[in-house]
Amino acid sequence: DLKHSRVARSNARLLERLGAKLRFAGPASLMPADLGGGSIDEAVDGADVVMMLRVQRERLEEDLGDAPGEYLDRYGLTEARFATAAPDAMIMHPGPINRGVEIDGALADHPTRSLIVRQVEMGVAVRMACLDLLTAERLG
């Protein structure tokens, strides 16, 4: 759900400045025009990191019209899709997760490839450290 995601926009700005090559994908109704986008299969193919985002159904003006499991099959990170990523690719997701919707539960919990728990745990601490650095420069 790139249309409603602050995570996607901040990552798009920062990660490209750091040299990352980003690919965005999702249903057309959830893709903002300024981020471009393609199919989930194209986005995952050969990727070093795959970051999924939660479908924010509470912000949608209309229902996606998907039956249980349909969104995952069409747009989510399944084991078959993830198999096309780079051999040592990692999985990220800022949380909270809709298991079985945007990401297969087994991938979310993968013991060596999923960074989701660590990402969620460290997110607040990293933001606090960044704010401290930024405000210390201005105050010092």
Side-chain angles (χ1 to χ4, degrees), residues 18 30 34 69 83-85 94 99 102 113 119 132 137:
L18 296 174
L30 300 178
D34 62 323
T84 69
R99 292 173 186 278
E102 72 267 1
R113 309 284 290 279
Q119 178 183 0
D132 182 59
E137 280 184 21

Side-chain angles (χ1 to χ4, degrees), residues 1 3 10-11 16 18 27 36 39 41 43 45 49 57-58 62 75 95 127:
D1 188 353
K3 184 176 182 179
S10 60
N11 279 337
E16 285 182 343
L18 296 174
S39 76
D41 296 309
D45 187 35
V49 176
R57 292 182 189 268
E58 68 276 10
E62 60 186 61
Y75 305 108
R127 288 190 292 277

Side-chain angles (χ1 to χ4, degrees), residues 13 16 53 56 60 63 65 70 80 85 100:
R13 290 184 182 134
E16 285 182 343
L53 299 171
Q56 298 181 47
L60 300 181
D63 187 64
E70 187 177 342

